[in-house]
Amino acid sequence: MFNINEIRKDFPILSRTVNGKPLVYFDNAATSQTPQQVIDVIVDYYSNYNANIHRGVHSLSQEATDKYEQARHTIQKHFNAKHAHEIIFTSGTTHGINLVANGFSSILKAGDDILVSALEHHSNIVPWQMLCERTGANLKVIPMNQEGELVIPEFDALLSKNTKLVFVNHVSNALGTINPIEYIIKQAHLVGAAVLIDGAQSTPHIKPDVQALDVDFYVASAHKMCGPTGQGMLYGKESWLKKLPPYQGGGEMIAEVTFEKTTYAELPHKFEAGTPNICGGIAFGAAIDYMNTIGFDTIASYENELLVYATKQLQNIEGLTIYGTSKQKTSVISFNLDGIHPYDVGTILDKLGIAVRTGHHCAQPIMDFYSIPGTVRASFAFYNTKEEIDALITGIKKAKMMLS
Ligand code: C6P
């Protein structure tokens, strides 16, 4: 049974005040909060078995190695990857994307096409632009419409035998749109293109099955899923990960090193050079376990209730425009008040203890599409409440009164 009062007790930060007011945390799309269960795992690591992994014969090192590799298995199971070695630990979504983009430098040729969507975060644009500069490949953009949805017939028209790669986010961070990735993956595969899905904003709400999706690469960040910052994962099909060259050279990613030649370690270690964020990996596993005890269907349905409740009230505020009205949406609402800069609204809300994000949300092309400098973005998690949404609505009305 979903008991919001019990769930909120898991998050110590939710009982603090900000500017003398109870914290209302609506910046979950930027980073989620951490439950005590995950904080305990972090404290336990540093208190009891902090050691480097895969290197020591001593007990602490073996304990840390076992816990780290268990976390990899937890992530494998969660995403339903076929093999644990298809899960590469990264520092986050950005790292995972750059790892793949770098790998394709030696595979792409001048004149190849790569498709990216108009709804992407800069992390899923800039690495591909850099890849195009290195290889001479062309970056083509799947356009969006006013509702903030991808224009699928245009995607179909862009696909050709020249298309080698397609990159789309599962969910847009700025608008909350859930993209039809099943269709995109299927169609891309028909022309022989590989697909990378940016799951930074989907994984807090949806449990993706990478085998059912038949996706080639899927990336995510732990800090958006109740886990720590500086930790993420890249899923890659075994066949692709074997084909791609390592991203970084260093300790742990080698089989043998001489000055004449180095051979690389097997997966996943080939892509994990240097001492990783050991505690982060273990805590990521704990965060996934925590979210699964609540259940992703329960999370999605409760968050949708919050989304519908907030949307209805926001629509009643005169002069307020919501950007991103796709039928398939996660609990993200981007909006502006007529003639008022989003930064000013965010500052007043902060004075009331309400945390939202303002600005372009690292998705400038979306802002350009709507010809706006940015938006106010409220993003809800399963530990938020309708009462908090009421406080947001009151805050927005106050901001409107003060600023217009
Ligand atoms: N979006 C937001 O406020 P990192 O920073 O590597 O964990 O994630 C990057 C990233 C990539 N793709 C998408 C769709 C994202 O939303 C993000 C992070 C945050 O929207 C911080 S900019």
Side-chain angles (χ1 to χ4, degrees), residues 29-30 92-94 121 123 173 198 200-201 221 223-224 357 362 377:
T93 299
T94 306
H121 184 280
S123 285
N173 71 315
D198 172 350
Q201 296 293 342
S221 295
H223 70 95
K224 305 212 196 264
R357 186 171 171 187
C362 302
R377 183 186 69 181

Side-chain angles (χ1 to χ4, degrees), residues 35 125 159 168 237 379-380:
I125 299 173
L159 276 178
V168 177
K237 273 186 189 162
S379 49
F380 312 128

Side-chain angles (χ1 to χ4, degrees), residues 249-308:
E252 273 308 295
M253 52 73 74
I254 55 91
E256 209 175 316
V257 178
T258 66
F259 280 111
E260 287 69 42
K261 187 177 164 55
T262 291
T263 51
Y264 303 127
E266 295 296 324
L267 294 173
H269 307 295
K270 173 179 146 186
F271 291 107
E272 294 181 353
T275 302
N277 180 357
I278 302 165
C279 178
I282 295 168
F284 190 8
I288 285 180
D289 280 342
Y290 174 81
M291 292 190 78
N292 276 310
T293 57
I294 299 169
F296 277 79
D297 288 344
T298 306
I299 288 172
S301 116
Y302 178 71
E303 288 174 344
N304 192 56
E305 245 181 70
L306 296 181
L307 175 71
V308 171

Side-chain angles (χ1 to χ4, degrees), residues 81-196:
K82 195 165 177 191
H83 307 290
H85 60 248
E86 291 176 315
I87 304 297
I88 310 297
F89 280 121
T90 63
S91 67
T93 299
T94 306
H95 178 185
I97 294 170
N98 277 279
L99 186 159
V100 176
N102 181 74
F104 271 91
S105 297
S106 53
I107 294 174
L108 286 195
K109 296 186 305 300
D112 285 343
D113 287 345
I114 64 184
L115 304 190
V116 73
S117 99
L119 285 173
E120 298 310 307
H121 184 280
H122 297 163
S123 285
N124 210 18
I125 299 173
V126 184
W128 309 118
Q129 286 174 325
M130 290 160 68
L131 176 64
C132 287
E133 278 170 22
R134 290 196 294 274
T135 59
N138 311 306
L139 190 69
K140 296 190 171 171
V141 183
I142 309 162
M144 60 184 276
N145 63 21
Q146 278 299 324
E147 285 71 41
E149 296 164 328
L150 294 181
V151 184
I152 292 302
E154 300 264 2
F155 162 68
D156 290 334
L158 283 169
L159 276 178
S160 78
K161 63 177 182 1
N162 276 349
T163 313
K164 295 296 181 279
L165 291 164
V166 176
F167 312 109
V168 177
N169 57 39
H170 196 165
V171 169
S172 154
N173 71 315
L175 306 179
T177 312
I178 303 175
N179 288 314
I181 61 163
E182 295 81 359
Y183 179 83
I184 288 170
I185 294 165
K186 214 186 237 167
Q187 296 308 108
H189 283 171
L190 288 179
V191 298
V195 182
L196 178 141

Side-chain angles (χ1 to χ4, degrees), residues 206-223:
I206 297 168
K207 185 172 174 170
D209 179 332
V210 292
Q211 287 190 78
L213 286 168
D214 194 26
V215 67
D216 302 287
F217 303 98
Y218 197 100
V219 286
S221 295
H223 70 95

